[in-house]
Amino acid sequence: MVELLDGFSTICVRNKLTFMLYGGSLLGSYRHFGFIPWDDDIDVLMNGTDKDRLKHLLNNHEYEIESPDNRQWKFYKKNNNKMCPQPQQNLSDTDVVSGNFVLNCDKSKVKWPYIDIFMFEENDTHVWDSTPMYHSTYIYQKQDVFPLTLSPFEESLLPIPRCPNKVLSKTYNIDLCVTPTYSHIYENIPQGRQLSVPCKRLHKYFPFVFETNSNGFVHKRLLLNAKVLYEVKQKTLSC
């Protein structure tokens, strides 16, 4: 997923295409400086006016894009699977970690890992997700989105909305850690009930970002069981 995101980001920066982390990836950046530890996909938000350029630039010798009219697009690497197991095959943990398989190979040409690309529309005051099932719910004040800022994400600095906490509040309780409702690897709904716990109960098991503010700056530290893994100091924004 990191490799795919790096390739996508490079294409966008090189061609001056606006994108920002969105959904679970934005939450991951805000709360973990990277992927949510139990997440399995990437979400970005892009300007709907760039659709034609995106189709041209994101379809090349290395990548493909699926671009339906009524839902998010999907960006993925060509020929990214070395094997396509039959459903009766038992996969070991090594198979899963190596990424040398995909279980949705018989269902779609889209191969995991992939990036979900959502589009936004805008007016003078607001930005909204143009996906039909989301456009009436995910509406954000423009001043909370632009100008974009940069945030650590894995080993990169990637664009996020100016006030990520306000954007995230439309969808998430940031202090609650919740298991996924859908597996993008297996393309199905996981068995068993969804679990949710206060994130503070997981601080000694997974890395989380902690903030302190002083003298007009915010100091963000990524901690795992009280050990500092990464830290950054940024100017405080009025959100």
Side-chain angles (χ1 to χ4, degrees), residues 49-113:
T49 60
D50 288 331
K51 281 184 176 182
D52 290 339
R53 292 185 65 209
L54 282 173
K55 285 183 181 180
H56 172 69
L57 293 168
L58 298 183
N59 274 307
N60 56 42
H61 68 282
E62 190 174 359
Y63 301 102
E64 287 186 281
I65 188 168
E66 183 191 69
S67 53
D69 293 329
N70 60 351
R71 58 182 176 83
Q72 68 268 28
W73 292 7
K74 294 184 183 294
F75 173 77
Y76 53 96
K77 199 168 185 177
K78 290 181 180 177
N79 305 317
N80 64 342
N81 311 295
K82 297 180 181 177
M83 58 182 281
C84 186
Q86 298 301 315
Q88 66 269 23
Q89 283 185 263
N90 293 320
L91 293 172
S92 67
D93 291 341
T94 302
D95 293 324
V96 174
V97 172
S98 69
N100 293 333
F101 72 96
V102 62
L103 291 187
N104 66 352
C105 51
D106 294 327
K107 299 180 181 180
S108 168
K109 71 173 185 175
V110 178
K111 304 296 190 290
W112 182 89

Side-chain angles (χ1 to χ4, degrees), residues 8 35 38 49 71-72 79 93 96 104 106 127 130 147 156 163 167 181 198 200 206-207 215:
F8 173 82
F35 291 105
W38 44 91
T49 60
R71 58 182 176 83
Q72 68 268 28
N79 305 317
D93 291 341
V96 174
N104 66 352
D106 294 327
V127 169
S130 62
S156 300
C163 298
V167 172
T181 57
K200 63 183 179 181
F206 299 104
N215 300 320

